[in-house]
Amino acid sequence: MSGASSANADFSPPTAPTATASANTNIALIKYWGKVDEALAIPATSSLSLTLEGTRTTTSVSFDGGAGTADSVTINGSSPTGAELARVSRFLDLVRSRSGVCAPATVISRASVPLAAGLASSAAGFAALAAAASHAAGMNLDDRALSQLARRGSGSATRSVFGGLVLWNAGHDDASSYAEPVACAMDLAMVVVVLSERYKPISSTRAMRATMVTSPLFPAWVEASEEDLQVALEAVQAGDLERLGEVVEGNALGMHAAMMAARPGIVYWLPQTIATLHAIRAMREEGLPVWATIDAGPNVKALTEGARAEQVAAALRDRLPGTTVSVRRPGGGVRIEEGS
Ligand code: 2P0
């Protein structure tokens, strides 16, 4: 918090502008798991994701002096402390150091989808924060530069800058690691199956570090992932949902295999996670186009064709009583809100 702690409210302009931005979350079809450079958040692999509509986090930022000597942060009506606050302030320090603005900031953020909906929050949160903070600090970033900045907050936020299908090029340094949209004529949707609303037992950041350092399967996953990405991109170009679905499901299972092989093993799955995987396989055998993907938690997201999404959701509800199932369609990228 060097920038925030050395700054003083007296140095802030009397009418510091407020900028408001929003971003949707995204679900990776080909996963990001592991950083080769933690400080710069350079991932071990490139990844591919679908940004989802109706999952926006909206964030306002003003470098107005914040709480006096520190940033004032409000997320969903409460004030984070400890590591969560430090993570936001570290990100704001980066914006301050690049823009020359020194004042502490006031940040107010609200997610439109509750955490309990089983959708990652850091992707939308840091993409919206990157857009609002850079705008409030007077930086005029294009979308690529914005995705590079968002990456420093949370890896998956790199991709939430863009709508629809998005490729995050792993790159090898700050300039070469960024996201870009991928042309897609396919009618895709995700059906989200929420099995548990509990917080995850270990954060993604820690779990991916442990997988990289201790899992003998990690190098194999990285190698397979490069090939998976090529297959996925070819499938998208060919409009081949079956080929895309197979590689999406295989890539997620491979990521979980690599983390399960860490010492000690990282197991995000619950018994219902396995039950959902089997339900999806049975539905495929009955002719439904549906493939599973799983992130750093027990919940399952099913990739399907947009036109069949409600039918897939109904079939999942039938087979998995007591779970919450919702359809999410592709959504847009970061937006600077009116009045900023
Ligand atoms: C992904 N996940 O590609 C993968 C798949 C979860 C499983 O990106 O450490 O919260 O902040 O960069 O972005 C979750 O990781 O981790 C994630 P950090 P992040 O969506």
Side-chain angles (χ1 to χ4, degrees):
M1 291 191 50
S2 52
S5 52
S6 62
N8 184 300
D10 294 338
F11 293 116
S12 50
T15 52
T18 299
T20 301
S22 72
N24 279 311
T25 194
N26 70 79
I27 299 295
L29 303 180
I30 301 297
K31 304 297 188 187
Y32 143 59
W33 196 253
K35 301 177 188 73
V36 293
D37 182 328
E38 285 223 9
L40 288 177
I42 308 297
T45 59
S46 296
S47 55
L48 182 71
S49 61
L50 191 64
T51 300
L52 304 184
E53 79 170 358
T55 62
R56 282 189 186 270
T57 290
T58 304
T59 301
S60 297
V61 177
S62 175
F63 290 94
D64 59 359
T69 56
D71 297 312
S72 163
V73 178
T74 308
I75 300 176
N76 293 332
S78 48
S79 303
T81 53
E84 201 184 350
L85 176 62
R87 189 172 179 183
V88 173
S89 277
R90 260 199 317 274
F91 184 79
L92 292 168
D93 283 345
L94 180 64
V95 172
R96 279 185 280 258
S97 72
R98 288 193 181 172
S99 64
V101 168
C102 349
T106 298
V107 175
I108 300 171
S109 183
R110 185 161 289 280
S112 61
V113 176
L115 274 180
L119 294 162
S121 58
S122 68
F126 276 101
L129 180 64
S134 60
H135 205 72
M139 299 162 79
N140 192 12
L141 302 181
D142 61 20
D143 283 349
R144 178 183 292 191
L146 189 58
S147 80
Q148 288 161 332
L149 177 63
R151 192 190 75 237
R152 303 289 293 275
S154 187
S156 48
T158 314
R159 301 182 308 234
S160 269
V161 168
F162 298 97
L165 201 64
V166 180
L167 171 66
W168 175 11
N169 301 289
H172 57 272
D173 60 10
D174 188 51
S176 57
S177 189
Y178 58 85
E180 60 187 337
V182 174
C184 176
M186 298 175 79
D187 174 28
L188 300 176
M190 302 293 292
V191 181
V192 182
V193 182
V194 180
L195 303 166
S196 168
E197 298 176 358
R198 281 183 312 143
Y199 279 97
K200 44 193 161 192
I202 171 170
S203 74
S204 306
T205 308
R206 284 180 53 218
M208 65 177 78
R209 189 184 298 144
T211 309
M212 272 192 88
V213 173
T214 70
S215 173
L217 300 192
F218 186 74
W221 183 75
V222 169
E223 203 175 308
S225 205
E226 279 167 25
E227 169 128 18
D228 287 349
L229 178 62
Q230 292 319 312
V231 171
L233 290 172
E234 282 168 26
V236 167
Q237 213 170 14
D240 187 339
L241 180 59
E242 187 168 351
R243 191 151 185 243
L244 178 64
E246 274 170 14
V247 76
V248 164
E249 189 169 299
N251 184 265
L253 294 179
M255 178 186 74
H256 282 273
M259 60 175 102
M260 284 179 195
R263 313 288 164 87
I266 297 158
V267 183
Y268 282 116
W269 296 5
L270 292 172
Q272 304 95 297
T273 310
I274 308 270
T276 308
L277 283 175
H278 285 290
I280 285 172
R281 282 169 185 221
M283 286 161 58
R284 271 211 300 273
E285 273 164 29
E286 287 168 8
L288 278 176
V290 56
W291 293 268
T293 187
I294 308 170
D295 293 301
N299 303 319
V300 178
K301 292 101 185 184
L303 175 69
T304 188
E305 189 186 334
R308 308 286 292 275
E310 293 300 343
Q311 189 188 354
V312 165
L316 283 166
R317 282 185 200 108
D318 271 359
R319 287 175 179 271
L320 304 161
T323 58
T324 307
V325 178
S326 55
V327 172
R328 296 282 171 187
R329 298 183 189 275
V334 145
R335 207 162 63 196
I336 296 291
E337 302 294 341
E338 286 290 315
S340 286

